[in-house]
Amino acid sequence: MGSGMARNLLKGGYEVIVHNRSPDKAADMKRFGAIVALSPEEVARQAEIVVLSLPNSETVATVVLGKRGLAEGLRKGSVVIDTSTIDPTVAIEIAGELKARGSYFLDSPVSGGPEGAKAGTLTIMVGGDALAYERSKHVLQKMGKSIFYLGESGAGQKMKLANQSLVGVYFVAIAETYRLATGIGVKGEDLLRVISTSWGDSPVFRHFMKVVKSGNYEDGASIKLMVKDLSIVRGISEKEEIPMSLAKLSLAHFRKASDGGHADLDMSYISRVLEG
Ligand SMILES: NC(=O)c1ccc[n+]([C@@H]2O[C@H](COP(=O)([O-])OP(=O)(O)OC[C@H]3O[C@@H](n4cnc5c(N)ncnc54)[C@H](OP(=O)(O)O)[C@@H]3O)[C@@H](O)[C@H]2O)c1
């Protein structure tokens, strides 16, 4: 996700300084014009706006607040835009820490997958300081097409979890339906043609059909990310005492896939896991 977003910023005329834990990945961005930094702190010293795309809450907290993290180098007034999907509580805590040091943290999770990141068509859901958002939205506009400012810190992550709760359940429902339809003789191409113009359609359905047809599960949105997202959904639903039987069931299927050694494969692989 991060490389697609960084490339769109470069295309948009921004000077982009990149850092990645794996130096090869950062070095890869050099040929598109990016400057490589050796730590998050080094990025923060040189930038007014910092964009993060990281796997989970723990990593975001470490990259922002850990040793040689962003907080050690951020200038007063700088804005950190976190496009990762993380626990809203962690986003709120980090925003509070940075505010106390004079900078801003906008939770800005995205939807649209690697294709959307590459094409610059992501949906971006923003929570945090309204003025910091106004000052930095020109950057978001280079990465996404539909940008929503939703209010205080955590509001972006809460919306994203609502999205993920649907996406997780959709994947399992689509995989199950695909197995039923093809099992009773419906051709895959007919299923795609007809459902695409019917109520059963969704971007998830189209993505699933494309990946299953190609047989390539290596790229895309990984199963481990859905385990992370649905685990956060489950934690919140338990805390708030809002039962979510379908999200829970979907999490069980994705966990099974992950535990079975498929954590890095595209979520569409869930159909293979349902086979038993
Ligand atoms: N993939 C999707 O379809 C999608 C869609 C919407 C939102 N998201 C969200 O976007 C975020 C990123 O997803 P992704 O699919 O791009 O994940 P990813 O492919 O695992 O990329 C995460 C990157 O972060 C790097 N990283 C990990 N720890 C780091 C650290 N301590 N310091 C610096 N870099 C570090 C990783 O480097 P290493 O190679 O060293 O691990 C990797 O390059 C996640 O929060 C995900 O939920 C993903």
Side-chain angles (χ1 to χ4, degrees), residues 75-86:
R75 309 175 195 169
K76 288 250 176 300
S78 286
V79 180
V80 178
I81 295 173
D82 179 26
T83 68
S84 328
T85 304
I86 66 169

Side-chain angles (χ1 to χ4, degrees), residues 104-177:
Y104 300 94
F105 182 87
L106 300 176
D107 48 299
S108 312
V110 299
S111 180
E115 302 97 326
K118 205 170 159 193
T121 57
L122 294 167
T123 293
I124 311 183
M125 312 161 204
V126 189
D129 185 272
L131 286 178
Y133 166 71
E134 285 302 327
R135 281 199 290 119
S136 53
K137 76 173 174 205
H138 57 96
V139 165
L140 296 169
Q141 283 161 346
K142 291 281 182 282
M143 307 188 304
K145 196 166 74 174
S146 306
I147 299 155
F148 299 95
Y149 176 72
L150 297 163
E152 62 193 13
S153 274
Q157 293 298 351
K158 289 175 187 170
M159 185 61 77
K160 170 76 187 204
L161 291 179
N163 185 67
Q164 292 313 87
S165 170
L166 284 172
V167 172
V169 172
Y170 282 165
F171 261 111
V172 175
I174 291 162
E176 195 173 84
T177 301

Side-chain angles (χ1 to χ4, degrees), residues 1 20-22 25 53-54 59 85 110 113-114 160 221 225 228:
M1 296 297 289
N20 194 296
R21 180 178 62 178
S22 305
K25 286 192 183 170
S53 176
L54 292 163
T59 319
T85 304
V110 299
K160 170 76 187 204
L225 291 178
K228 170 200 56 158

